[in-house]
Amino acid sequence: MQKKVDDLVQFLSEHGLCASLTTKEVEKMLEFTEEMYLDRGQVVMEIGDVGEALFFVVEGEIVLLYDTGTMETEVGRRRQGELMGEMSFFDRKPRLTRMRATRNRTRLLKLSRPMYERMRVEQPFITVNFLEYAIVSLDHLIREMSTDVAVLTDYYFAPGKK
């Protein structure tokens, strides 16, 4: 069991989420999270749910799907080392996308709202690092969307332009 924790601490220490934390602080942060495994096709978050947890992808991949009622459209993916679910978690508005595992044994770390609230009080330095990572994650999401909108706008309004 300790080997599994050590491997997770090593993995997290190499990613932005814990890059400025000591090994002991990463271990402490893990005390506030829950490890989850999903099978391919399993939904971790549903459209319309208000975020009561956010997730960090340790292994595997999650596809973000927008559902029109007649079809699902992929609008993004969250891969190893990325945070997901932070928008609804922090603004407490209903989720706009369904998030589904694309592979068996997709491994996530879940931080529930009650554990986040406890971490804020008990471990403010760790929480600040976590929040900074969430801000960077949201920034990447906005940049991806901006690029997609720009490409789509160019496609529709400047046909034939190369």
Side-chain angles (χ1 to χ4, degrees):
M1 183 65 172
Q2 186 59 41
K3 168 105 171 85
K4 189 175 180 181
V5 170
D6 291 343
D7 289 346
L8 194 52
V9 168
Q10 174 74 27
F11 171 79
L12 290 171
S13 296
E14 294 169 359
H15 286 83
L17 178 62
C18 299
S20 64
L21 299 178
T22 66
T23 300
K24 291 285 183 206
E25 289 166 333
V26 175
E27 290 170 352
K28 180 55 84 173
M29 186 197 79
L30 286 173
E31 293 175 18
F32 294 92
T33 64
E34 172 188 344
E35 203 170 4
M36 294 177 58
Y37 289 89
L38 302 171
D39 289 325
R40 183 173 191 232
Q42 190 173 351
V43 173
V44 66
M45 293 181 268
E46 186 57 79
I47 295 168
D49 291 348
V50 175
E52 289 302 317
L54 45 80
F55 302 84
F56 183 79
V57 181
V58 178
E59 292 175 21
E61 182 179 68
I62 301 290
V63 64
L64 285 64
L65 301 162
Y66 181 77
D67 192 335
T68 65
T70 57
M71 73 180 226
E72 288 182 327
T73 302
E74 181 180 325
V75 294
R77 290 184 179 249
R78 292 294 162 257
R79 294 172 178 86
Q80 182 179 24
E82 294 184 309
L83 196 61
M84 62 181 208
E86 65 276 27
M87 287 175 58
S88 181
F89 183 80
F90 289 113
D91 71 11
R92 297 182 187 223
K93 293 190 182 342
R95 297 191 189 284
L96 301 174
T97 61
R98 175 176 298 118
M99 298 180 194
R100 181 181 296 142
T102 63
R103 302 175 188 166
N104 285 328
R105 300 280 300 159
T106 294
R107 183 178 175 198
L108 307 175
L109 283 180
K110 174 184 176 181
L111 179 62
S112 67
R113 185 170 307 284
M115 292 306 282
Y116 170 77
E117 297 295 340
R118 194 174 132 209
M119 188 171 70
R120 267 186 21 196
V121 172
E122 295 177 16
Q123 299 293 327
F125 180 73
I126 294 171
T127 305
V128 166
N129 278 272
F130 200 91
L131 288 170
E132 287 176 353
Y133 192 76
I135 290 167
V136 170
S137 178
L138 288 168
D139 177 67
H140 289 176
L141 183 63
I142 296 295
R143 289 178 189 276
E144 285 175 27
M145 288 174 28
S146 297
T147 300
D148 290 348
V149 168
V151 168
L152 190 60
T153 300
D154 190 51
Y155 176 78
Y156 279 117
F157 296 109
K161 179 182 153 191
K162 299 284 180 199

